[in-house]
Amino acid sequence: MSFVTTTNREPESTVIEAVLICVNQWGWDKVTMDDVCAAAGVSRATLYRLFPGGRDVLFEAVRMRGLDDFFTTMRAHVEGSETLEELLVRCIVIASTELRHDENLAKMLATAPGETLGDLTVGGVGRIVRAATAFITPLTDEFIPANEAATLVEVMCRLVISCYLSPSSTIDFADETSTRNFVTTFLLPHTTATTSY
């Protein structure tokens, strides 16, 4: 019996949702391809046709889908920013708030801390930075050059992740005032933007 309803859904999306259900139930390390097949209501042949290469390819697709969803949500909240300052503050506050309220991430940190921390740091920070750069840098075009924006996005990603994993006693990136003070003191002075002042 499958856990995921497949009506009007792309097969890949159905399988990815099934993986998330299984991960929430058992943790990353214990999920098998058979578990995913049962949860998605698909055969092993279908699963391997959709995700050639097996578990590693499937789990990478799950991670990428999560990043796409995260940055799509964030972008919807930051589009229309009139200054670089406003854009940076919104990006940091939304990203920090979303991380704090992500129940799936909290469960993964509790059930598979090693792999999850790797996805947020050593093994996965490059993936996160690439996704963030693709979503955010087009919004900075009117304020700063693309190469400067890419550097700024990477710094923001690393700061937000660091403060999520080890909260600061002096900076609260989920708080707009605290974030604005940080942005105007430490980030904006190192950009070529003049429209924020």
Side-chain angles (χ1 to χ4, degrees):
M1 174 178 258
S2 68
F3 298 104
V4 179
T5 304
T6 57
T7 308
N8 297 326
R9 298 202 59 82
E10 295 284 332
E12 294 88 353
S13 294
T14 300
V15 170
I16 287 172
E17 285 181 19
V19 171
L20 293 173
I21 289 169
C22 292
V23 166
N24 280 332
Q25 190 167 359
W26 301 300
W28 284 103
D29 293 339
K30 295 182 180 175
V31 175
T32 67
M33 296 301 269
D34 288 334
D35 294 330
V36 174
C37 289
V42 299
S43 67
R44 284 181 68 87
T46 298
L47 185 61
Y48 281 94
R49 179 178 52 79
L50 294 171
F51 299 95
R55 191 177 193 276
D56 290 343
V57 171
L58 173 57
F59 277 34
E60 180 64 14
V62 171
R63 290 179 182 100
M64 290 308 299
R65 177 70 58 88
L67 284 174
D68 285 348
D69 291 347
F70 181 90
F71 286 111
T72 298
T73 298
M74 190 174 81
R75 185 170 174 157
H77 286 87
V78 303
E79 282 183 319
S81 297
E82 295 183 1
T83 64
L84 181 62
E85 176 185 322
E86 182 183 0
L87 176 64
L88 299 181
V89 169
R90 285 185 185 182
C91 283
I92 292 170
V93 170
I94 294 298
S96 298
T97 303
E98 289 291 314
L99 283 173
R100 286 187 188 178
H101 293 97
D102 189 328
E103 293 178 10
N104 287 332
L105 180 57
K107 181 141 189 178
M108 289 187 292
L109 280 167
T111 59
E115 185 168 352
T116 307
L117 285 171
D119 283 342
L120 289 172
T121 56
V122 180
V125 75
R127 179 190 310 117
I128 293 167
V129 169
R130 283 189 300 275
T133 301
F135 275 87
I136 298 170
T137 54
L139 301 176
T140 65
D141 285 348
E142 64 182 294
F143 306 120
I144 54 177
N147 63 332
E148 194 174 327
T151 300
L152 197 53
V153 168
E154 179 173 354
V155 168
M156 287 193 311
C157 286
R158 292 178 183 277
L159 287 169
V160 168
I161 291 168
S162 177
C163 284
Y164 168 70
L165 293 174
S166 181
S168 168
S169 60
T170 58
I171 302 166
D172 180 2
F173 282 152
D175 176 77
E176 185 176 335
T177 301
S178 178
T179 302
R180 188 172 305 281
N181 288 338
F182 181 88
V183 165
T184 57
T185 303
F186 298 106
L187 295 182
L188 286 179
H190 300 283
T191 71
T192 57
T194 57
T195 55
S196 298
Y197 299 100

